[in-house]
């Protein structure tokens, strides 16, 4: 499956952005999808994930209550709605997918087989 992340941009503190991860390939509904972010010189960090079966959302503590992950399997797209953005949310955001991935492994980048190219989010103070 191929992933295309989009929706990044420049926004002021407190603003909102919606990222999209569009997939091409078969049976996207069978794939769990995660969002990760990375800043220069640092490791990629887990942000949120959504399961492939019930579509259950999971969040890192740093974004809980501000970000919402959702999926629309009819258009093979996963969204990350980001509200009340902070300067520390600035990063390149990547989406990733893996078939039938569940449980605690959703939080680890090594669990994912497919990655998008990343989209840059910049939050100005």
């Amino acid at each position: 499956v191929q992933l295309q992340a989009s929706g990044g941009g420049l926004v002021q503190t407190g603003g909102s952005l919606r990222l999209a991860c569009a997939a091409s390939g078969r049976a996207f509904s069978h794939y769990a999808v995660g969002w990760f972010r990375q800043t220069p010189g640092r490791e990629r960090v887990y942000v949120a994930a959504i399961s492939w079966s019930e579509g259950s959302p999971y969040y890192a503590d740093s974004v809980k209550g501000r970000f919402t992950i959702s999926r629309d399997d009819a258009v093979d797209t996963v969204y990350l709605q980001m509200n009340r953005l902070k300067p520390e949310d600035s990063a390149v955001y990547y989406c990733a997918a893996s078939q039938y991935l569940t449980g605690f492994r959703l939080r680890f980048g090594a669990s994912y087989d497919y990655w998008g190219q990343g989209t840059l989010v910049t939050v100005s103070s």
Side-chain angles (χ1 to χ4, degrees):
V1 69
Q2 292 183 323
L3 304 175
Q4 179 76 33
S6 63
L10 174 64
V11 65
Q12 291 185 335
T13 296
S16 299
L17 283 174
R18 189 177 78 157
L19 305 184
C21 178
S24 61
R26 300 180 181 179
F28 181 65
S29 61
H30 294 177
Y31 286 78
V33 176
W35 284 98
F36 295 77
R37 63 189 182 189
Q38 188 173 26
T39 53
R42 306 192 74 172
E43 292 186 354
R44 203 168 292 185
V45 176
Y46 164 76
V47 175
I50 190 163
S51 68
W52 67 273
S53 52
E54 300 88 7
S56 300
Y58 303 90
Y59 302 98
D61 288 344
S62 60
V63 305
K64 202 172 292 183
R66 299 188 298 122
F67 291 11
T68 302
I69 189 170
S70 61
R71 66 188 302 155
D72 186 345
D73 291 334
V75 292
D76 293 344
T77 301
V78 168
Y79 302 98
L80 185 68
Q81 178 67 43
M82 306 187 296
N83 298 328
R84 292 187 281 141
L85 283 161
K86 306 174 182 179
E88 51 263 44
D89 294 318
S90 297
V92 177
Y93 283 70
Y94 297 89
C95 60
S98 190
Q99 197 173 29
Y100 303 132
L101 185 64
T102 59
F104 71 94
R105 293 179 299 163
L106 289 164
R107 295 177 171 268
F108 299 101
S111 301
Y112 293 85
D113 297 316
Y114 305 97
W115 289 83
Q117 85 290 358
T119 185
L120 177 63
V121 172
T122 303
V123 184
S124 62
S125 57

